[in-house]
Amino acid sequence: MSAPTNGPVTDRYTVISADCHAGADLLDYRPYLAKEHHEAFDAWAATYVNPYEDLLADTADRNWNSARRLAELEEDGIVAEVVFPNTIPPFFPSAALMAPAPTAEEFERRWAGLRAHNRWLADFCAAAPGRRAGVFQILLNDVAEAVKEIRWASRAGLRGGLLLPGTPPGSGLPELYSSTYDPIWAVCEELGVPVNHHAGSASPPLGEEPAARAVFMVETTWFSHRALWHLIFGGAFRRHPGLKLVLTEQGSGWIPGVLDMLDYYHGRLSAAAKRSKRSTAESKFGAGLAESMGKGPSDVWRDNCFVGASFMRPHEVPLRARIGVDKIMWGSDYPHDEGTYPYSREGLRCAYAGVPREEVAAMVGGNAARVYGFDLDALDALAAKAGPTVAELAEPLTRPPADATSPVFARGASVRVW
């Protein structure tokens, strides 16, 4: 498939970060809560201990200071962003969106907290018209309530779509392949709402020992990948062929191999179910699979799926044709430490130097504009002043910035040896 263009031909790229994060300062969520929750919120906020150093530092206001954010992103060459959550929603013990809550009352409060974030986010995006696509939050415990929130968010202009929580072992929730969630897929298809699955929300709790933290780092992206094969094998895309799934900040180099594996199992089990004249384990495993799934996994990827390839690494870029140049959306992960700010231009050079211009244009902005509904004509005017030049990104990066913290610059993360 040919790569989409990225606006009119200029000497600069229009860069849209498909992975940024924001949220309100803790007490600023209060006005967005229904009044009946104010007293409980005051008690919760008075005792809440924030576990995240970046939300306690003097740079924490990057999450909610609209003017600072716009200025820093433009300085970094970025003119628009997809905004995932970052700060703690009211009534949550941490940023994790896992439920069930300990009690029905606590669950009700957590829903109120997520709604408060979503309403704050709508105002935050409205403060920069056309430049932010907000990703709203839901819980999976009550599908009917989730559907109501999706409809509200669509009317409120949160074009970034929904953030799909994971269902890790021990959550007590039906797995994502369950038809329980069909009303969610149906309303997303109806309204053109992208379903985003971001790394970090699908891992089971592992504790705080050093080994546990290392295991989390190794496994967290795998647990996030699971959403892909759950929805494919569960038939969500057969029943809802207009559904769009975006997998963000999970890397992208894994995709060709996983699709090969999924195609293999799909073909193997479907064939066993069709040809076997006697009952075998594989014929039982494959019974009904082809009918429930419809298209094969690679076809589903081609027609329905995208990747938010945050700070794409050089070793992933040669795989872009197998992933799909029209599927890849670069992201800076601002304002996280592992993001590329303030060295996004260098990060883009590190990844894309030597790549054809039209392909770079698609991956750094054109694809995100298509998936999330950004107006490229309007953004091109901003990029004419703030965007990185074509010549700049064509120049290979020979040495990483000395104080850069993004993994894109890490030794061993690149085919280049610094």
Side-chain angles (χ1 to χ4, degrees), residues 13 18-19 34 113 130 158-159 167 187 259 335 345 356 366-367 372 401 404 408:
Y13 289 112
D19 181 29
L158 289 173
R159 294 181 291 107
T167 57
V187 72
L259 290 177
R345 288 179 172 84
N367 295 334
Y372 294 107
V408 75

Side-chain angles (χ1 to χ4, degrees), residues 180 197 406:
T180 300
H197 194 57
S406 174

Side-chain angles (χ1 to χ4, degrees), residues 62-279:
R62 286 174 172 157
N63 286 281
W64 56 80
N65 185 329
S66 184
R68 176 178 185 173
R69 190 180 184 97
L70 288 172
E72 291 190 346
L73 287 174
E74 283 189 29
E75 178 188 358
D76 213 24
I78 297 166
V79 296
E81 58 175 328
V82 179
V83 186
F84 286 85
N86 199 41
T87 59
I88 312 303
F91 305 119
F92 276 76
S94 71
L97 299 181
M98 289 322 303
T103 65
E105 181 183 29
E106 185 65 20
F107 174 69
E108 179 184 355
R109 287 178 179 174
R110 291 188 188 184
W111 246 123
L114 290 191
R115 289 190 176 104
H117 170 82
N118 293 343
R119 281 139 188 80
W120 173 87
L121 182 62
D123 284 350
F124 186 70
C125 291
R131 300 185 65 178
R132 293 175 181 148
V135 178
F136 62 91
Q137 301 181 76
I138 63 167
L139 288 172
L140 295 176
N141 304 67
D142 189 324
V143 169
E145 285 299 309
V147 168
K148 290 179 185 177
E149 190 66 6
I150 293 166
R151 291 193 178 279
W152 174 87
S154 180
R155 293 193 302 270
L158 289 173
R159 294 181 291 107
L162 71 83
L163 178 62
L164 178 66
T167 57
S171 70
L173 295 169
E175 297 284 4
L176 287 177
Y177 55 68
S178 172
S179 60
T180 300
Y181 304 120
D182 260 16
I184 293 176
W185 316 142
V187 72
C188 288
E189 179 185 37
E190 173 195 341
L191 300 175
V193 171
V195 174
N196 304 278
H197 194 57
H198 193 284
S201 69
S203 301
L206 295 170
E208 291 299 324
E209 294 183 28
R213 294 193 292 271
V215 168
F216 174 84
M217 290 296 293
V218 171
E219 294 182 347
T220 185
T221 52
W222 182 86
F223 275 105
S224 298
H225 299 344
R226 292 174 78 222
L228 175 63
W229 52 81
H230 277 230
L231 268 66
I232 288 177
F233 286 130
F237 299 103
R238 180 189 64 79
R239 296 187 297 276
H240 311 286
L243 187 66
K244 291 189 290 189
L245 175 67
V246 183
L247 302 170
T248 297
E249 202 176 332
Q250 305 176 30
S252 60
W254 59 275
I255 292 168
V258 164
L259 290 177
D260 287 346
M261 177 188 70
L262 299 181
D263 284 340
Y264 166 74
Y265 280 113
H266 171 251
R268 173 178 160 182
L269 295 175
S270 296
K274 290 177 182 177
R275 70 171 180 263
S276 181
K277 295 181 179 179
R278 59 187 180 85
S279 179

